[in-house]
Amino acid sequence: MQKDTTPPSLPPHSGVARFMDACYRRPTDATPVWFMRQGGSCLSEYRAILQKYDVMTIAKTPELSSQVAVMPIKTFGVDAAVLYADIMLPIEGMGVSMSITPKGPVIHNPIRSLKDVAALHVTRAEEATPFVLDGIRLIRREIEGKQAIIGISGAPFTLACYMIEGGPSRDYQVAKALMYGQPEVWDALMQKITDVICDYVKAQVSAGADVIQIFDSWVGSLSPSVYRRFVLPYSQRVFAAIKQVGAPSIHFGTGTAALLEAMVEAGGDVQSVDWRINLDEAWKRIGPERGIQGNLDPTVMHTSWPTIEREMQDVLQRAAGRPGHIFNFGHAVLVPTDEDLLRRLVEAVHEATAR
Amino acid sequence: MQKDTTPPSLPPHSGVARFMDACYRRPTDATPVWFMRQGGSCLSEYRAILQKYDVMTIAKTPELSSQVAVMPIKTFGVDAAVLYADIMLPIEGMGVSMSITPKGPVIHNPIRSLKDVAALHVTRAEEATPFVLDGIRLIRREIEGKQAIIGISGAPFTLACYMIEGGPSRDYQVAKALMYGQPEVWDALMQKITDVICDYVKAQVSAGADVIQIFDSWVGSLSPSVYRRFVLPYSQRVFAAIKQVGAPSIHFGTGTAALLEAMVEAGGDVQSVDWRINLDEAWKRIGPERGIQGNLDPTVMHTSWPTIEREMQDVLQRAAGRPGHIFNFGHAVLVPTDEDLLRRLVEAVHEATAR
């Protein structure tokens, strides 16, 4: 399905208009806001659901996942709902045996050889992850086009690291050693993962996602030259696939201060940056042709309102009202974070940027 | 003691001449090499000592610590011996109750208030850590001025984070919230720590350290503007103190691609960079007035020699034979790393850069 992402029927002054206009660097009535993991454990309403179901059950039950996805809209007043799904979900159907643990997904049969890669299937999202697409359709019905819907996926590099390491890792030693030392295994794996991700994100857009955020969460562990050699060509295919179906995309990473130019080359309409770089400097580096997402340090939420407001103003002053800014933390909301402070932050960003 | 760090009596083509000349960006007969944690668990000879003594006992027994410090010289052929000491050692005498665990030091009475800070003592190194200084004197006697001796200390920010968090931390949430929200407590703590570090590093130089490396291991979690506000003035005092006693210094951090200009402003003759930035780009950023240390990805050591050599050559080509390069990993040697490969790497760097 080809999507027209800026239909003339967008409700004016709605979250969706704000969000989509920012993605395309058009002026907005206020700066759009959302938070990574806004539907996570910082929400008391979500914690209540977690008493009854584990995260994998929630992610695979559209009625539950869509419910969690829309909660932050009324609780915090954010401008977008984000798909409730682990960024590793697309790889499960590839023949990878995976459990989601409190520390993140664990892979029981990590990929280490060409034979392992050959055994992986390239799946279609409609067959492998229908619950994700049904979840998006239910969110769409719930929010009636008033807010944007953000679909998500892990990027090829981050997914490949997970599949090779077999679980969370601090240094990605096994994955990076394979990448450096067995480039043919790396390429075969990255190609297959990229095929799966491309179909997965296109299916999300068809199901009703307005924008896709690609999480290359671990890419900050690479130098620009290594990124260009081992990551960029694959990520580029993912962003091209999203563009092909007419949706804008957000390119996320952390610790990417040296990588920004290379990541922008890979693609994305909006580059997400964390607090390790000042937003004005980051925007200068990525150039005026891209929007920017970020970049309050979520740690600031553990202080009191005057400090939060000061740091929020610092971010907004560096954005300087230029079209194309999506306000967010540089990374996920910390747990715990006070719900009232989050609500107040959304309100304050909207007020401070109203025009 | 005022030290003349470039005495005419430096043995030509010795590790110490190579190392000190590189610190001052003078031409060398070959690029000097050392590794962070070269005296650590990658050394079988060290692991044998660990069977008998715990790390704190080794660090506090000059006969043992000096023995570990000189091992890598004959095992790997590196150009410098580095003090065997945890970077947190200088704070123990301040009245902080600390244990060194396998995961790092743990502080039993973390600092959270002005009252906590007031209770801290500003200690003299000769009284609080005499074993460190005696260790340096013994290393000096052992290596007879043939290799450089690197003294070390944590930087004020990293030490303050530890004292506030109470132990290893992923996000430094407590420390950063205190920094943002209670700047007066932060300043009082940073001032006291800085006083202690200044005396500690000066005493190390007096005892015979040729160069001091300041580890600001966690500073990559800050933006440049936050660094300038909360860290730079204190680090600046430390580097000025080292310069005052006539020794060169190395400024270490990881994930600092956005911070390089600000760190250079704080001080250090040589800026250490990790593999997340390409060495040529980093050198352009820090300017021609500084040396550079780095920056092979230690993960590469988990591949085979041809890959290691290729990646080593990449680093050397980016350094392009300019005076002022000290070859190192971007961070500590990984455990395990093959001893033979480390020895071969040192040899290959020396050979490839011989002039």
PDB file of all heavy atoms in Angstrom, chain A residues 200-215:
ATOM      1  N   TYR A 200       9.196  -6.513   7.260  1.00  0.00           N
ATOM      2  CA  TYR A 200       8.551  -6.233   8.560  1.00  0.00           C
ATOM      3  C   TYR A 200       8.112  -4.768   8.654  1.00  0.00           C
ATOM      4  O   TYR A 200       6.985  -4.468   9.056  1.00  0.00           O
ATOM      5  CB  TYR A 200       9.559  -6.585   9.657  1.00  0.00           C
ATOM      6  CG  TYR A 200       9.102  -6.448  11.095  1.00  0.00           C
ATOM      7  CD1 TYR A 200       8.053  -7.217  11.602  1.00  0.00           C
ATOM      8  CD2 TYR A 200       9.759  -5.581  11.962  1.00  0.00           C
ATOM      9  CE1 TYR A 200       7.679  -7.113  12.938  1.00  0.00           C
ATOM     10  CE2 TYR A 200       9.393  -5.480  13.300  1.00  0.00           C
ATOM     11  CZ  TYR A 200       8.347  -6.247  13.782  1.00  0.00           C
ATOM     12  OH  TYR A 200       7.987  -6.142  15.101  1.00  0.00           O
ATOM     13  N   VAL A 201       8.977  -3.866   8.265  1.00  0.00           N
ATOM     14  CA  VAL A 201       8.630  -2.440   8.401  1.00  0.00           C
ATOM     15  C   VAL A 201       7.619  -2.024   7.331  1.00  0.00           C
ATOM     16  O   VAL A 201       6.720  -1.211   7.596  1.00  0.00           O
ATOM     17  CB  VAL A 201       9.880  -1.526   8.376  1.00  0.00           C
ATOM     18  CG1 VAL A 201      10.716  -1.763   9.622  1.00  0.00           C
ATOM     19  CG2 VAL A 201      10.719  -1.721   7.124  1.00  0.00           C
ATOM     20  N   LYS A 202       7.720  -2.592   6.132  1.00  0.00           N
ATOM     21  CA  LYS A 202       6.741  -2.269   5.088  1.00  0.00           C
ATOM     22  C   LYS A 202       5.347  -2.757   5.514  1.00  0.00           C
ATOM     23  O   LYS A 202       4.347  -2.053   5.319  1.00  0.00           O
ATOM     24  CB  LYS A 202       7.156  -2.899   3.748  1.00  0.00           C
ATOM     25  CG  LYS A 202       8.249  -2.101   3.053  1.00  0.00           C
ATOM     26  CD  LYS A 202       9.107  -2.916   2.106  1.00  0.00           C
ATOM     27  CE  LYS A 202       8.439  -3.228   0.781  1.00  0.00           C
ATOM     28  NZ  LYS A 202       9.410  -3.894  -0.143  1.00  0.00           N
ATOM     29  N   ALA A 203       5.305  -3.927   6.119  1.00  0.00           N
ATOM     30  CA  ALA A 203       4.018  -4.454   6.587  1.00  0.00           C
ATOM     31  C   ALA A 203       3.435  -3.572   7.694  1.00  0.00           C
ATOM     32  O   ALA A 203       2.220  -3.372   7.774  1.00  0.00           O
ATOM     33  CB  ALA A 203       4.194  -5.890   7.087  1.00  0.00           C
ATOM     34  N   GLN A 204       4.295  -3.031   8.540  1.00  0.00           N
ATOM     35  CA  GLN A 204       3.805  -2.138   9.601  1.00  0.00           C
ATOM     36  C   GLN A 204       3.178  -0.880   9.000  1.00  0.00           C
ATOM     37  O   GLN A 204       2.151  -0.398   9.481  1.00  0.00           O
ATOM     38  CB  GLN A 204       4.941  -1.755  10.554  1.00  0.00           C
ATOM     39  CG  GLN A 204       5.404  -2.905  11.447  1.00  0.00           C
ATOM     40  CD  GLN A 204       6.418  -2.446  12.489  1.00  0.00           C
ATOM     41  OE1 GLN A 204       6.257  -1.398  13.104  1.00  0.00           O
ATOM     42  NE2 GLN A 204       7.467  -3.219  12.676  1.00  0.00           N
ATOM     43  N   VAL A 205       3.803  -0.359   7.972  1.00  0.00           N
ATOM     44  CA  VAL A 205       3.248   0.833   7.324  1.00  0.00           C
ATOM     45  C   VAL A 205       1.908   0.487   6.669  1.00  0.00           C
ATOM     46  O   VAL A 205       0.920   1.212   6.822  1.00  0.00           O
ATOM     47  CB  VAL A 205       4.244   1.416   6.285  1.00  0.00           C
ATOM     48  CG1 VAL A 205       3.612   2.583   5.523  1.00  0.00           C
ATOM     49  CG2 VAL A 205       5.527   1.873   6.984  1.00  0.00           C
ATOM     50  N   SER A 206       1.842  -0.656   6.009  1.00  0.00           N
ATOM     51  CA  SER A 206       0.573  -1.081   5.397  1.00  0.00           C
ATOM     52  C   SER A 206      -0.525  -1.227   6.450  1.00  0.00           C
ATOM     53  O   SER A 206      -1.682  -0.929   6.201  1.00  0.00           O
ATOM     54  CB  SER A 206       0.743  -2.427   4.688  1.00  0.00           C
ATOM     55  OG  SER A 206       1.581  -2.287   3.579  1.00  0.00           O
ATOM     56  N   ALA A 207      -0.141  -1.698   7.634  1.00  0.00           N
ATOM     57  CA  ALA A 207      -1.132  -1.916   8.695  1.00  0.00           C
ATOM     58  C   ALA A 207      -1.575  -0.600   9.337  1.00  0.00           C
ATOM     59  O   ALA A 207      -2.567  -0.561  10.059  1.00  0.00           O
ATOM     60  CB  ALA A 207      -0.561  -2.847   9.754  1.00  0.00           C
ATOM     61  N   GLY A 208      -0.826   0.486   9.079  1.00  0.00           N
ATOM     62  CA  GLY A 208      -1.279   1.770   9.612  1.00  0.00           C
ATOM     63  C   GLY A 208      -0.238   2.566  10.379  1.00  0.00           C
ATOM     64  O   GLY A 208      -0.558   3.629  10.912  1.00  0.00           O
ATOM     65  N   ALA A 209       0.990   2.087  10.450  1.00  0.00           N
ATOM     66  CA  ALA A 209       2.027   2.889  11.116  1.00  0.00           C
ATOM     67  C   ALA A 209       2.305   4.128  10.266  1.00  0.00           C
ATOM     68  O   ALA A 209       2.403   4.043   9.045  1.00  0.00           O
ATOM     69  CB  ALA A 209       3.297   2.074  11.301  1.00  0.00           C
ATOM     70  N   ASP A 210       2.415   5.294  10.922  1.00  0.00           N
ATOM     71  CA  ASP A 210       2.658   6.544  10.191  1.00  0.00           C
ATOM     72  C   ASP A 210       4.134   6.771   9.946  1.00  0.00           C
ATOM     73  O   ASP A 210       4.517   7.446   8.999  1.00  0.00           O
ATOM     74  CB  ASP A 210       2.119   7.731  11.006  1.00  0.00           C
ATOM     75  CG  ASP A 210       0.622   7.657  11.188  1.00  0.00           C
ATOM     76  OD1 ASP A 210      -0.089   7.718  10.166  1.00  0.00           O
ATOM     77  OD2 ASP A 210       0.166   7.511  12.340  1.00  0.00           O
ATOM     78  N   VAL A 211       4.960   6.262  10.840  1.00  0.00           N
ATOM     79  CA  VAL A 211       6.394   6.519  10.803  1.00  0.00           C
ATOM     80  C   VAL A 211       7.074   5.304  11.423  1.00  0.00           C
ATOM     81  O   VAL A 211       6.472   4.607  12.253  1.00  0.00           O
ATOM     82  CB  VAL A 211       6.721   7.845  11.561  1.00  0.00           C
ATOM     83  CG1 VAL A 211       5.993   7.910  12.881  1.00  0.00           C
ATOM     84  CG2 VAL A 211       8.210   8.044  11.780  1.00  0.00           C
ATOM     85  N   ILE A 212       8.287   5.012  11.005  1.00  0.00           N
ATOM     86  CA  ILE A 212       9.016   3.857  11.553  1.00  0.00           C
ATOM     87  C   ILE A 212      10.292   4.351  12.217  1.00  0.00           C
ATOM     88  O   ILE A 212      11.054   5.121  11.630  1.00  0.00           O
ATOM     89  CB  ILE A 212       9.402   2.852  10.441  1.00  0.00           C
ATOM     90  CG1 ILE A 212       8.174   2.357   9.679  1.00  0.00           C
ATOM     91  CG2 ILE A 212      10.224   1.692  11.018  1.00  0.00           C
ATOM     92  CD1 ILE A 212       7.290   1.391  10.423  1.00  0.00           C
ATOM     93  N   GLN A 213      10.515   3.904  13.475  1.00  0.00           N
ATOM     94  CA  GLN A 213      11.815   4.181  14.102  1.00  0.00           C
ATOM     95  C   GLN A 213      12.670   2.914  14.047  1.00  0.00           C
ATOM     96  O   GLN A 213      12.254   1.849  14.505  1.00  0.00           O
ATOM     97  CB  GLN A 213      11.663   4.666  15.543  1.00  0.00           C
ATOM     98  CG  GLN A 213      13.029   4.812  16.238  1.00  0.00           C
ATOM     99  CD  GLN A 213      13.037   5.793  17.391  1.00  0.00           C
ATOM    100  OE1 GLN A 213      12.441   6.863  17.314  1.00  0.00           O
ATOM    101  NE2 GLN A 213      13.708   5.458  18.473  1.00  0.00           N
ATOM    102  N   ILE A 214      13.863   3.061  13.494  1.00  0.00           N
ATOM    103  CA  ILE A 214      14.810   1.946  13.416  1.00  0.00           C
ATOM    104  C   ILE A 214      15.813   2.101  14.543  1.00  0.00           C
ATOM    105  O   ILE A 214      16.540   3.090  14.625  1.00  0.00           O
ATOM    106  CB  ILE A 214      15.519   1.942  12.039  1.00  0.00           C
ATOM    107  CG1 ILE A 214      14.503   1.735  10.916  1.00  0.00           C
ATOM    108  CG2 ILE A 214      16.620   0.881  11.991  1.00  0.00           C
ATOM    109  CD1 ILE A 214      13.779   0.384  10.939  1.00  0.00           C
ATOM    110  N   PHE A 215      15.838   1.116  15.435  1.00  0.00           N
ATOM    111  CA  PHE A 215      16.725   1.148  16.606  1.00  0.00           C
ATOM    112  C   PHE A 215      18.045   0.467  16.277  1.00  0.00           C
ATOM    113  O   PHE A 215      18.112  -0.756  16.225  1.00  0.00           O
ATOM    114  CB  PHE A 215      16.084   0.404  17.777  1.00  0.00           C
ATOM    115  CG  PHE A 215      14.969   1.155  18.456  1.00  0.00           C
ATOM    116  CD1 PHE A 215      13.682   1.107  17.948  1.00  0.00           C
ATOM    117  CD2 PHE A 215      15.211   1.898  19.608  1.00  0.00           C
ATOM    118  CE1 PHE A 215      12.639   1.794  18.576  1.00  0.00           C
ATOM    119  CE2 PHE A 215      14.172   2.583  20.242  1.00  0.00           C
ATOM    120  CZ  PHE A 215      12.884   2.534  19.729  1.00  0.00           C
TER     121      PHE A 215
END
